[in-house]
Amino acid sequence: MKHQWIGGREVQSKGQALEVINPATEDIIDEVTRGTIDDAGHAVSAARQAFQKWRWIPGAEKAQALHRIASNLRGHQKELATLMTLEGGKPFCENRDEVEWTASCFDYYAEIGRNSRGTSLPPVFEHQVNFTIKEPYGVVAAIIPWNYPLLLLSWKVAPALAAGNTVVIKPSEETPLATLALAEVFAELPPGVVNIVTGFGEEVGEALVRHKGTDLIALTGSVETGKRVAQSCAAEIKKTHLELGGNDPFIVCSDADLEVVTRAACWAAYLNAGQVCTGAKRFYVFDAIADDFTDRVVRFTRSLKLGDGMDPNTDIGPAINLTQLQDVHSRVEEAVRDGARILTGGSRSTIFKKGFFYEPTVMVDVRQEMRLVQTETFGPVLPIMRVRDIDHAIELANDSTYGLGANIYTNNMEWAMKAMERITAGTFWINDPLTDNDAGPFGGMRQTGHSRELGEEGLDEFRETKHVHLDYKQEIKPYWYPYSEYNKR
Ligand code: NAD
């Protein structure tokens, strides 16, 4: 059994074992601790103690530590990517890329973390100086989902550490192994600066959220979990950082290069078996090219290979678990009952004896009001809806409670810019879906959340501003008491 990492060492807990299952084979691949409230408490105490020193470590030294983490991650790329493939099911090449992006994020915050700590402001009166300093919150609880276990961890941990916070990480109960393997990478930090507790959200996650010693709860997860966390934090006015579900639209205009957009659409819909927060989940296609686009997408979808992520020929891996697969299938079935048609896919794959494989699925005659379209369908489903023109596409794209990302394929500048300005989304991709940039802020609008990760905004999420007012001349101010004198002026 893999143990938790608290205060710079492996800690054996009284908690029971939690099995980790390979979604491609349904085999139990390892066990980790099912963390307890006590474990969460020990991790928070270790982080609180470490915070007293870590916050004062000079920026250049913190930067060196973060760069070392990045290079250690790259040194363990194969081992980490393998663990992620075994526990999460993504194809190995996607996980190999994820380790590189994770390292790149640590490098990025090593660089910008020491650039500035506030700004100088013009004073109101002479002989005064005004400036701001940005301070760490204290102990950050970083609660991570299973779909990008290391990347989404780095988007919180790297800026949090650069800003001077210490961290308790709670990986998803589905994918704790690659995160626990990072203990080796984090071991060179002072003990307690980073801690890892494993277990269920409702147990160890909630314990971290409610603990008086955590100052900021940074969560990536579903809207439902975000609402629960926000409610708990509201009682203490505790800061939250919420990156929640998405339901991204993908607009295909009449001038799109169909060869390119076919591949782009399939990749954006099926990446990580459709289990990506910024995956494209609703396709709005101009009438003029809808038939051609649909035929091409169906043909390309049929050519994709479903399989074990360790097989280099696999394009699409399994769903993370049976519940997830059944949730996706129930939405597809419901849409069919309401008049949608399946052109390919539409059921659990029968090719494999084991594993949670769902066939990549293309659907037409889909309507905007269907649950498949209105809520986040976290699976390899590509529903196509026809639109008259750009205004129609914008209207339907905006008909959502989510606001994470949005995509468009066109070289018509007026259509692209109009859609960019009018669609409510934290990221807008033109002719290249899902590409992130360490320097570009990432996050959602509406119920997707109110935070940003990456970029300078992503650093500021983990520090708060103090305004400093300084008068370098001690003098009695004319507007002080007694007012009898002030009023004579
Ligand atoms: P989830 O909400 O079930 O779990 C996320 C994390 O929260 C897990 O570690 C879980 O154990 C923990 N958790 C659950 N209940 C909790 C509670 N009451 N208190 C504290 N912690 C709790 O999400 P998931 O199924 O792991 O991930 C998929 C979801 O994450 C999707 O909705 C997806 O869109 C979203 N997501 C969003 C982004 C983004 O950047 N906006 C990125 C990736 C995934």
Side-chain angles (χ1 to χ4, degrees):
M1 180 159 87
K2 297 272 181 311
H3 299 297
Q4 308 188 88
W5 173 258
I6 298 173
R9 60 193 181 86
E10 275 189 18
V11 171
Q12 295 208 15
S13 150
K14 297 204 176 87
Q16 300 159 335
L18 182 66
E19 291 171 348
V20 183
I21 291 170
N22 179 341
T25 60
E26 300 183 42
D27 292 334
I28 298 167
I29 47 173
D30 211 333
E31 288 182 340
V32 300
T33 306
R34 176 172 166 178
T36 62
I37 294 177
D38 279 352
D39 295 330
H42 292 144
V44 173
S45 302
R48 286 230 75 79
Q49 212 182 334
F51 176 61
Q52 299 314 327
K53 282 196 178 159
W54 177 253
R55 67 175 302 180
W56 305 120
I57 302 262
E61 239 176 273
K62 285 200 187 86
Q64 279 171 5
L66 295 187
H67 277 311
R68 276 200 302 271
I69 289 172
S71 96
N72 272 337
L73 280 162
R74 291 191 176 99
H76 290 85
Q77 187 180 40
K78 199 167 164 204
E79 161 200 340
L80 291 169
T82 304
L83 276 176
M84 278 199 284
T85 305
L86 294 178
E87 65 183 345
K90 282 208 299 285
F92 179 81
C93 61
E94 291 180 21
N95 286 319
R96 196 187 48 210
D97 288 349
E98 181 172 344
V99 178
E100 171 50 35
W101 301 334
T102 303
S104 169
C105 176
F106 276 96
D107 273 338
Y108 175 73
Y109 282 110
E111 287 154 23
I112 74 156
R114 60 190 183 128
N115 270 358
S116 72
R117 197 168 75 124
T119 44
S120 172
L121 312 166
V124 182
F125 296 110
E126 57 180 317
H127 51 74
Q128 296 185 343
V129 176
N130 287 74
F131 60 95
T132 62
I133 57 166
K134 295 189 180 179
E135 300 183 337
Y137 282 94
V139 174
V140 172
I143 303 178
I144 315 297
W146 45 263
N147 61 347
Y148 287 89
L150 295 194
L151 183 68
L152 298 175
L153 173 158
S154 72
W155 290 6
K156 295 162 190 56
V157 176
L161 295 181
N165 304 276
T166 53
V167 184
V168 180
I169 300 168
K170 210 287 291 165
S172 166
E173 49 275 30
E174 304 282 352
T175 54
L177 297 180
T179 308
L180 282 174
L182 294 188
E184 212 177 311
V185 170
F186 291 133
E188 61 165 271
L189 292 169
V193 170
V194 173
N195 308 273
I196 305 168
V197 288
T198 49
F200 288 109
E202 293 76 11
E203 295 174 354
V204 78
E206 278 199 18
L208 290 172
V209 171
R210 291 178 191 278
H211 198 293
K212 297 255 183 278
T214 51
D215 302 286
L216 188 151
I217 308 298
L219 164 81
T220 296
S222 63
V223 172
E224 292 68 38
T225 305
K227 285 180 180 170
R228 257 178 100 165
V229 166
Q231 270 166 5
S232 301
C233 290
E236 302 289 330
I237 321 286
K238 193 178 280 188
K239 289 273 178 191
T240 54
H241 166 101
L242 301 174
E243 294 284 348
L244 309 176
N247 192 7
D248 290 6
F250 190 115
I251 299 172
V252 186
C253 298
S254 50
D255 67 326
D257 180 326
L258 286 178
E259 203 181 322
V260 175
V261 76
T262 299
R263 301 267 290 259
C266 290
W267 189 71
Y270 307 142
L271 181 70
N272 192 8
Q275 304 168 120
V276 184
C277 55
T278 48
K281 305 200 175 76
R282 312 176 271 145
F283 289 77
Y284 300 109
V285 184
F286 278 35
D287 256 328
I289 44 124
D291 288 338
D292 202 355
F293 172 78
T294 304
D295 287 349
R296 287 167 183 257
V297 160
V298 169
R299 248 182 289 133
F300 192 66
T301 298
R302 287 188 180 137
S303 76
L304 295 174
K305 192 168 178 300
L306 204 58
D308 189 317
M310 291 308 291
D311 177 345
N313 294 316
T314 290
D315 297 305
I316 303 172
I320 188 72
N321 54 35
L322 190 59
T323 313
Q324 191 65 41
L325 184 147
Q326 287 170 337
D327 176 64
V328 171
H329 189 53
S330 75
R331 290 151 184 275
V332 170
E333 282 186 317
E334 197 179 300
V336 169
R337 275 198 302 275
D338 291 339
R341 274 187 306 132
I342 296 168
L343 298 186
T344 186
S347 54
R348 185 174 183 172
S349 172
T350 49
I351 305 172
F352 308 93
K353 285 204 186 77
K354 285 196 164 180
F356 309 118
F357 294 98
Y358 198 78
E359 295 168 340
T361 301
V362 181
M363 298 182 81
V364 291
D365 298 342
V366 175
R367 289 196 314 279
Q368 182 70 15
E369 65 274 17
M370 290 175 171
R371 188 164 69 100
L372 181 85
V373 177
Q374 281 296 325
T375 58
E376 182 183 39
T377 300
F378 225 44
V381 182
L382 196 161
I384 298 174
M385 281 162 283
R386 289 165 173 265
V387 289
R388 290 183 300 277
D389 53 24
I390 192 67
D391 292 324
H392 190 198
I394 293 171
E395 183 195 326
L396 295 182
N398 267 334
D399 175 25
S400 175
T401 55
Y402 300 86
L404 185 53
N407 301 275
I408 193 168
Y409 260 80
T410 184
N411 279 342
N412 180 315
M413 193 159 53
E414 189 180 333
W415 290 345
M417 291 297 102
K418 195 174 183 186
M420 182 276 289
E421 286 184 343
R422 283 167 178 69
I423 292 176
T424 305
T427 305
F428 193 80
W429 286 283
I430 304 168
N431 298 335
D432 185 19
L434 266 76
T435 300
D436 298 324
N437 177 342
D438 288 330
F442 176 102
M445 298 178 178
R446 297 193 182 115
Q447 289 192 21
T448 294
H450 47 58
S451 314
R452 290 294 176 271
E453 299 192 314
L454 299 181
E456 287 177 25
E457 288 90 340
L459 180 61
D460 281 341
E461 291 278 324
F462 294 93
R463 47 191 199 174
E464 53 190 343
T465 305
K466 180 179 279 173
H467 172 214
V468 182
H469 172 87
L470 180 162
D471 196 326
Y472 57 81
K473 185 169 169 191
Q474 294 194 23
E475 61 173 15
I476 293 170
K477 299 289 188 281
Y479 46 83
W480 290 354
Y481 299 140
Y483 283 160
S484 51
E485 281 179 27
Y486 184 32
N487 284 327
K488 276 187 211 147
R489 292 171 69 94

